[in-house]
Amino acid sequence: EFLCEEATIEAPAKVAASFRYSTQTKNLDVALRPAANEVWRLVISTTAAGRRIVADINNAPVARFKGWWPRTWPQPNAGTLSGRLAIDETPALALQGQLALVNFGFADDSGMHAAEKINTVWTLDANQEGARWRWQSRLDWKNGDVYWQPLFVSGYGHTLTLGGTFDTTRLAIEQGRLALAGIADVDFTASIDRASAKLSSASVKGSNVDLAGLYRQLLQPALQGTALADLRCDGHADFAFTVKDGALVSLDTTFRRASVEDKGRRFAFFGLDGALPWHREELRTASLHVAGGEILRIPFGAFELPLETRGIRLRMRNIEVPVLDGKLAVNDFAGSGEGGNWRWRFAGAIKPLSVEQLTTALGVPAMHGTLAATIPTIRYADSVLNVDGDLNFKLFGGTIAVSRQIGRAHV
């Protein structure tokens, strides 16, 4: 047996080391101590069941791994790494691993990608079954912040658990769950083709999504500087979608008492309920109910919102929205974005409403009378807006007609 409890390796800096090797059992125990409280250790042992290889790292500065870090990735700038990798060479290989990052951080020169004070633990268990591996993994994001433009995410108790198989042709996630603390649990499956490194299929389902938490933790930081930067959100939603050959095939969303309110009172929608299904190729019919809201401080009441969708085609028939003491009617709206060119058409009407209530809501000097209008079919295609008739307004007991002669305009 060879034994050395105190040795020094120059590579090129001096590193304290120790080792033990048995010529009979072929067992090996090597430890390196590059700095105080930092230990790298490799243990190889042989038993009747087979050979076991264990590699341990304790409190290694992440900066030591910069040489292995892809140059195109944001570079690590803080933190330590500890972990263990164990390989059991029994009749079938078995692998167990664990890595822990403490106060980890990274950044790039653009400032568009950064992280700080990340504490996370990742575990992996894998067993060989013939020509494939069966594996399970878990990631616990205990705390820390990540900015990946435009998203800003704080990790406090989020977890990701995965389980599946791996072989020469594909990586399969048979059971996956992303638990976002204060937002929702998202379950999913996926299959990735190894040769092309493309997503072959995926199925994702999220239940009881807390819309307030979703906006506050994920969406609001990404929406800073936009009209959606200061909202009050409430309610819950469920969603499910499927992907095939890297493309979205279907998306189904259900809302329960969902509300979105701009704190500046530019718009608000309250009490959204119902199902909104969508499919890339098949016709889907949605039935939504809106309890009320306001736009530019003009309130509107409850209404039904029937929708028909197929791919990027949308149709809405006969919608009436109560506005003040009148109604806004939209008849047969149809839109399509096929070929990358958006086009749409609709007709409608404003059913008599009080001008006095309207001017009061807008905060302008009060006026009296009623307002009504007939809106002919309006069409938009190829950046051209067409009006198929006259717009007729009834105001203060008289009629104003806007001729279709001004109806064709480039937008």
Side-chain angles (χ1 to χ4, degrees):
E1 181 177 85
F2 294 94
L3 172 65
C4 180
E5 296 183 349
E6 295 184 9
T8 301
I9 299 175
E10 295 187 9
K14 293 184 178 180
V15 177
S18 63
F19 69 88
R20 178 191 297 269
Y21 177 70
S22 171
T23 57
Q24 294 181 345
T25 63
K26 310 301 182 183
N27 292 345
L28 174 68
D29 186 342
V30 179
L32 303 177
R33 298 173 178 79
N37 300 320
E38 181 185 355
V39 180
W40 297 59
R41 187 178 184 186
L42 174 66
V43 177
I44 301 176
S45 57
T46 303
T47 65
R51 187 167 62 169
R52 180 176 175 83
I53 303 172
V54 179
D56 287 294
I57 300 176
N58 291 312
N59 298 316
V62 176
R64 293 197 188 279
F65 301 90
K66 274 192 173 183
W68 301 340
W69 204 265
R71 293 183 179 181
T72 57
W73 291 12
Q75 296 299 300
N77 54 26
T80 60
L81 182 147
S82 298
R84 163 172 285 201
L85 175 64
I87 301 174
D88 290 297
E89 296 181 344
T90 54
L93 287 176
L95 184 150
Q96 300 84 39
Q98 176 174 304
L99 290 176
L101 286 170
V102 178
N103 291 325
F104 175 62
F106 63 76
D108 63 9
D109 294 336
S110 70
M112 297 297 183
H113 311 97
E116 63 178 5
K117 299 179 180 179
I118 291 180
N119 290 282
T120 185
V121 176
W122 173 72
T123 59
L124 172 67
D125 288 290
N127 294 276
Q128 190 176 29
E129 298 178 347
R132 71 174 184 176
W133 286 79
R134 181 165 293 279
W135 57 274
Q136 293 182 328
S137 181
R138 179 184 176 98
L139 177 68
D140 289 277
W141 187 354
K142 300 179 181 298
N143 58 274
D145 301 321
V146 173
Y147 174 66
W148 200 275
Q149 202 276 334
L151 295 178
F152 178 87
V153 183
S154 292
Y156 294 95
H158 304 322
T159 62
L160 174 64
T161 56
L162 303 170
T165 59
F166 176 85
D167 57 31
T168 57
T169 60
R170 70 174 188 141
L171 168 66
I173 300 174
E174 299 173 349
Q175 292 180 326
R177 168 167 285 193
L178 176 62
L180 298 171
I183 300 176
D185 291 344
V186 180
D187 296 310
F188 59 94
T189 61
S191 178
I192 300 172
D193 181 75
R194 291 190 59 197
S196 62
K198 292 183 178 180
L199 182 65
S200 301
S201 63
S203 177
V204 182
K205 181 179 180 180
S207 301
N208 206 37
V209 179
D210 186 318
L211 298 180
L214 175 66
Y215 176 75
R216 182 178 60 255
Q217 296 190 46
L218 295 182
L219 301 181
Q220 187 174 28
L223 294 171
Q224 293 303 306
T226 74
L228 305 178
D230 194 17
L231 305 181
R232 182 180 294 109
C233 299
D234 199 9
H236 293 82
D238 303 328
F239 71 89
F241 66 86
T242 58
V243 174
K244 186 175 181 179
D245 296 328
L248 183 65
V249 174
S250 66
L251 171 61
D252 297 323
T253 309
T254 301
F255 299 98
R256 296 189 301 279
R257 303 300 298 170
S259 298
V260 177
E261 180 184 4
D262 174 48
K263 294 181 180 180
R265 295 198 63 186
R266 290 169 293 182
F267 60 86
F269 297 88
F270 301 117
L272 174 63
D273 287 287
L276 179 60
W278 175 88
H279 193 278
R280 185 176 62 188
E281 299 174 351
E282 300 174 3
L283 178 66
R284 292 289 187 266
T285 301
S287 179
L288 299 173
H289 173 81
V290 180
E294 65 178 25
I295 296 179
L296 298 177
R297 299 179 183 263
I298 300 174
F300 59 84
F303 65 95
E304 304 300 319
L305 183 61
L307 298 172
E308 294 178 0
T309 63
R310 185 199 300 265
I312 52 177
R313 286 180 284 178
L314 169 69
R315 192 165 191 174
M316 297 182 288
R317 305 175 188 267
N318 302 326
I319 302 170
E320 285 196 345
V321 182
V323 179
L324 299 172
D325 60 343
K327 290 184 179 180
L328 172 64
V330 177
N331 303 322
D332 199 17
F333 175 93
S336 172
E338 293 177 335
N341 296 315
W342 279 99
R343 52 190 179 275
W344 47 262
R345 62 171 172 79
F346 78 95
I350 299 175
K351 299 185 177 181
L353 59 84
S354 167
V355 174
E356 181 178 7
Q357 291 188 31
L358 178 62
T359 53
T360 299
L362 291 173
V364 299
M367 302 174 68
H368 301 276
T370 59
L371 170 65
T374 301
I375 305 172
T377 299
I378 298 177
R379 304 175 186 274
Y380 174 82
D382 299 324
S383 300
V384 176
L385 188 68
N386 287 283
V387 181
D388 291 352
D390 295 342
L391 284 79
N392 296 308
F393 294 90
K394 294 183 179 180
L395 184 63
F396 308 130
T399 301
I400 302 174
V402 180
S403 173
R404 63 171 293 177
Q405 293 179 355
I406 66 168
R408 184 178 176 88
H410 286 270
V411 178

